[in-house]
Amino acid sequence: PMSPGRNAPREQPSEDDRSRGVIGADERVRVTNTKGFPWYLQCYLSQKHESGYYRGTGCAVTPYMILTCAHNVYDQDNNSFAESMTIVPGQKQYSPGGSVYRPWGTRSAAWFRCNSPYTSGGSWAYDYAAVHFEYPFWSIATYIPVEFDTRLSPGDVLNMAGYPSVAQGSRTFGQWYCNGEILRAYDRIIHGNFDTTGGNSGSAMYY
């Protein structure tokens, strides 16, 4: 599992963040056509906590909800939920340092849903959450179906898309894609060879 690091949107990542989770060469691919499925469902998140502003990733699964990781919405150090969160589906950036486009606009989180095992100091096995917003993104009508109790096995390949703070050696606010092979699968934890860096927290892993 990726270490749950968080990066403030306006901060330059540390050297540790540049290499965290990258296995060998960084094989992630920049997504430039975020108006296509499933890219427009991958959401850039900017959240304000008591300790500052942070970034992460979520995935829209209904017109009014995204799934993400719990540490994007709940700070275990301060025992508090985020004060606010901006949700940006399909955000894109064509090149390092280039303009950032938000073709679907933004929404603000209305409320968060987490689980008591995590808020009481639980482990990564319970690091998941839902973020609700009041108004849908009007042009988005298709969502990734969620299936429960899926059986995963070593050798299965999963896809992952999200918003790492650094990819291919450069600071980025765009969406990046990779896939990887499952090495070990448990009830709540997957070990696999995926390239990730801070900001990928909450990224969807999907068939």
Side-chain angles (χ1 to χ4, degrees), residues 87-160:
I87 302 157
V88 191
Q91 178 168 296
K92 62 182 176 180
Q93 184 183 40
Y94 289 112
S95 60
S99 297
V100 175
Y101 298 93
R102 294 176 165 181
W104 306 100
T106 69
R107 294 289 184 271
S108 296
W111 64 91
F112 306 111
R113 291 288 184 266
C114 204
N115 55 90
S116 55
Y118 186 81
T119 58
S120 61
S123 69
W124 292 347
Y126 300 96
D127 191 0
Y128 56 89
V131 180
H132 300 260
F133 41 95
E134 293 185 299
Y135 303 101
F137 293 92
W138 303 113
S139 299
I140 295 179
T142 303
Y143 296 85
I144 291 180
V146 178
E147 179 179 327
F148 294 89
D149 296 324
T150 298
R151 297 292 181 252
L152 301 174
S153 302
D156 289 349
V157 173
L158 294 180
N159 303 294
M160 183 175 70

Side-chain angles (χ1 to χ4, degrees), residues 142-188:
T142 303
Y143 296 85
I144 291 180
V146 178
E147 179 179 327
F148 294 89
D149 296 324
T150 298
R151 297 292 181 252
L152 301 174
S153 302
D156 289 349
V157 173
L158 294 180
N159 303 294
M160 183 175 70
Y163 290 90
S165 58
V166 173
Q168 300 287 344
S170 297
R171 177 79 162 144
T172 177
F173 288 93
Q175 185 179 142
W176 293 78
Y177 161 83
C178 72
N179 59 29
E181 187 177 279
I182 294 175
L183 304 178
R184 292 180 298 279
Y186 306 97
D187 287 344
R188 294 177 175 269

Side-chain angles (χ1 to χ4, degrees), residues 45 56-58 67-74 114 118 127-131 200-203:
L45 306 180
T57 301
L67 297 179
T68 186
C69 60
H71 70 259
N72 279 342
V73 306
Y74 188 83
C114 204
Y118 186 81
D127 191 0
Y128 56 89
V131 180
N200 268 129
S201 293
S203 294

Side-chain angles (χ1 to χ4, degrees), residues 14-131:
S14 68
E15 290 302 318
D16 289 341
D17 289 325
R18 292 180 185 278
S19 60
R20 179 189 296 140
V22 175
I23 303 167
D26 190 341
E27 297 180 345
R28 290 173 290 185
V29 177
R30 184 189 300 273
V31 179
T32 55
N33 180 22
T34 58
K35 289 188 175 182
F37 181 89
W39 316 118
Y40 57 75
L41 300 175
Q42 316 309 324
C43 301
Y44 176 91
L45 306 180
S46 176
Q47 53 264 16
K48 182 179 186 295
H49 287 266
E50 181 180 334
S51 55
Y53 286 89
Y54 301 92
R55 67 185 290 177
T57 301
C59 181
V61 293
T62 83
Y64 301 94
M65 185 182 74
I66 66 166
L67 297 179
T68 186
C69 60
H71 70 259
N72 279 342
V73 306
Y74 188 83
D75 187 339
Q76 285 185 329
D77 293 335
N78 294 312
N79 297 316
S80 62
F81 282 93
E83 296 175 12
S84 63
M85 175 183 285
T86 301
I87 302 157
V88 191
Q91 178 168 296
K92 62 182 176 180
Q93 184 183 40
Y94 289 112
S95 60
S99 297
V100 175
Y101 298 93
R102 294 176 165 181
W104 306 100
T106 69
R107 294 289 184 271
S108 296
W111 64 91
F112 306 111
R113 291 288 184 266
C114 204
N115 55 90
S116 55
Y118 186 81
T119 58
S120 61
S123 69
W124 292 347
Y126 300 96
D127 191 0
Y128 56 89
V131 180

